[in-house]
Amino acid sequence: MSDHYTPAEIVHRFGFSHDTLRYYEREGLLSQVERAPSGHRRYRASDVELLDLVRCLRDTDMPIARLRAFAELVRAGDHTVPERLEVLQAHAERLADRIAELRARQDAIHHKIDYYKGVLALDAGVDSPAVLENG
Amino acid sequence: MSDHYTPAEIVHRFGFSHDTLRYYEREGLLSQVERAPSGHRRYRASDVELLDLVRCLRDTDMPIARLRAFAELVRAGDHTVPERLEVLQAHAERLADRIAELRARQDAIHHKIDYYKGVLALDAGVDSPAVLENG
DNA sequence: CTGCCCCCTGGAGTGCACTCCAGGTCAACC
DNA sequence: GGTTGACCTGGAGTGCACTCCAGGGGGCAG
């Protein structure tokens, strides 16, 4: 381990494919990644740090465009911290909403599952099962 | 209100667009929807019931292909209830995993937010702020 | 010297889920 | 009778996020 990471190491670490990493770079999520004399990329600690956040935000469905905007703020310097904070807080809010929605839907699905289980239980126990109310 | 619903009523009720409803029909999520003599669609209670579930499952990211498979089971008759149950249970499991992942990411994002808040607090109170550990 | 592997490039292709469009029908209202 | 509005059709187009491809280079093991 030296002060940089090869593409393969990054692929392994984050689970992004080579192509996805190049795509992110093209899209401005990563600033120009350093190169070895051979032309091969050398990812640095700052890239890794940003990719960590990218992983987190992509996994929570932040679109690429917003990630690029965030990355640009990071590049613009420390004075953009308030704006970055706003971006993250807005995202956290949407995420909380999304989780709440998923949980509500999850409840509905479990009700449906229970309904089907009821149907099966009746089927198993009775020759001609009664009609069941679908909740 | 009669025993059927117009396309506009369905659009209003579920928030699916006309085009999306037609797309779902083409994709086999709804079986052939009844028509008025004019050719206009007439959605019935059974369509509404299925659309309710479609809303639920789409909102929790079940792909169209799996929804079609489910719809086919529904059409095939009551003997497919065990299979439908399996589909729903598998989906519920994926959904629980997804929610757990989102919550984990949510924690990480909140840590990042707290970190940025710390930076700002230091900025506000100190002329030359100390370096802060990024968690 | 010969493979072989890892990596490079620009650009084209893919999959999914819609979404839009042009042109037409039908019923109702003025 | 004309206009309006809701709806119809098949098919093309869109947006997003990758993902794949063909062709090429550098460096090292055998």
Side-chain angles (χ1 to χ4, degrees):
Chain A
M1 290 288 158
S2 48
D3 62 338
H4 64 263
Y5 303 83
T6 65
E9 282 166 347
I10 297 294
V11 165
H12 181 75
R13 174 160 183 167
F14 289 103
F16 294 128
S17 71
H18 284 277
D19 275 322
T20 297
L21 287 168
R22 292 198 315 108
Y23 167 68
Y24 284 174
E25 199 179 333
R26 273 203 307 281
E27 291 297 314
L29 270 59
L30 272 56
S31 41
Q32 281 294 82
V33 174
E34 272 191 56
R35 300 306 178 101
S38 64
H40 291 196
R41 284 175 181 77
R42 281 178 170 171
Y43 294 91
R44 308 232 287 158
S46 63
D47 297 318
V48 168
E49 196 185 318
L50 193 50
L51 280 172
D52 231 24
L53 191 52
V54 167
R55 213 342 131 216
C56 204
L57 297 176
R58 275 302 298 137
D59 282 356
T60 52
D61 300 321
M62 182 180 286
I64 300 295
R66 216 184 331 269
L67 271 163
R68 175 174 43 238
F70 186 90
E72 277 162 11
L73 289 176
V74 172
R75 261 171 259 142
D78 290 346
H79 66 282
T80 64
V81 167
E83 285 171 80
R84 294 184 221 169
L85 194 49
E86 272 176 46
V87 172
L88 290 187
Q89 282 176 327
H91 183 67
E93 211 171 302
R94 273 188 298 269
L95 177 53
D97 289 351
R98 177 68 178 144
I99 290 172
E101 189 194 2
L102 288 183
R103 283 159 73 75
R105 301 301 191 184
Q106 189 182 36
D107 285 349
I109 291 166
H110 281 305
H111 281 132
K112 194 77 183 177
I113 286 173
D114 288 345
Y115 163 72
Y116 275 137
K117 279 185 179 168
V119 172
L120 282 185
L122 277 181
D123 270 11
V126 183
D127 270 352
S128 61
V131 173
L132 206 66
E133 194 62 30
N134 181 355
Chain B
M1 288 289 156
S2 49
D3 62 335
H4 64 264
Y5 304 83
T6 66
E9 283 166 346
I10 298 294
V11 163
H12 180 76
R13 174 159 183 167
F14 290 102
F16 293 129
S17 71
H18 284 277
D19 276 323
T20 298
L21 287 168
R22 294 196 316 106
Y23 166 67
Y24 284 175
E25 198 178 334
R26 272 203 308 282
E27 290 297 313
L29 269 58
L30 272 55
S31 42
Q32 281 296 80
V33 174
E34 273 191 56
R35 300 307 178 99
S38 64
H40 291 197
R41 284 175 181 76
R42 282 178 171 172
Y43 295 91
R44 310 235 288 155
S46 64
D47 296 319
V48 168
E49 197 185 319
L50 193 48
L51 280 171
D52 230 26
L53 191 52
V54 167
R55 210 345 128 218
C56 203
L57 296 176
R58 275 301 300 138
D59 281 357
T60 52
D61 300 320
M62 182 181 285
I64 299 294
R66 216 184 332 268
L67 271 164
R68 176 174 42 238
F70 187 89
E72 278 162 10
L73 289 176
V74 172
R75 261 171 259 142
D78 290 346
H79 65 282
T80 64
V81 167
E83 285 170 81
R84 295 184 221 169
L85 195 49
E86 272 176 46
V87 172
L88 290 187
Q89 282 176 328
H91 183 66
E93 210 170 303
R94 274 188 298 270
L95 177 54
D97 288 352
R98 177 69 178 142
I99 290 172
E101 190 194 1
L102 288 182
R103 284 160 74 75
R105 301 301 190 184
Q106 188 182 36
D107 285 350
I109 291 166
H110 281 304
H111 280 131
K112 194 76 183 180
I113 287 173
D114 288 344
Y115 162 73
Y116 275 136
K117 280 185 178 168
V119 172
L120 283 186
L122 277 181
D123 269 13
V126 182
D127 269 352
S128 61
V131 173
L132 206 66
E133 195 62 32
N134 180 355

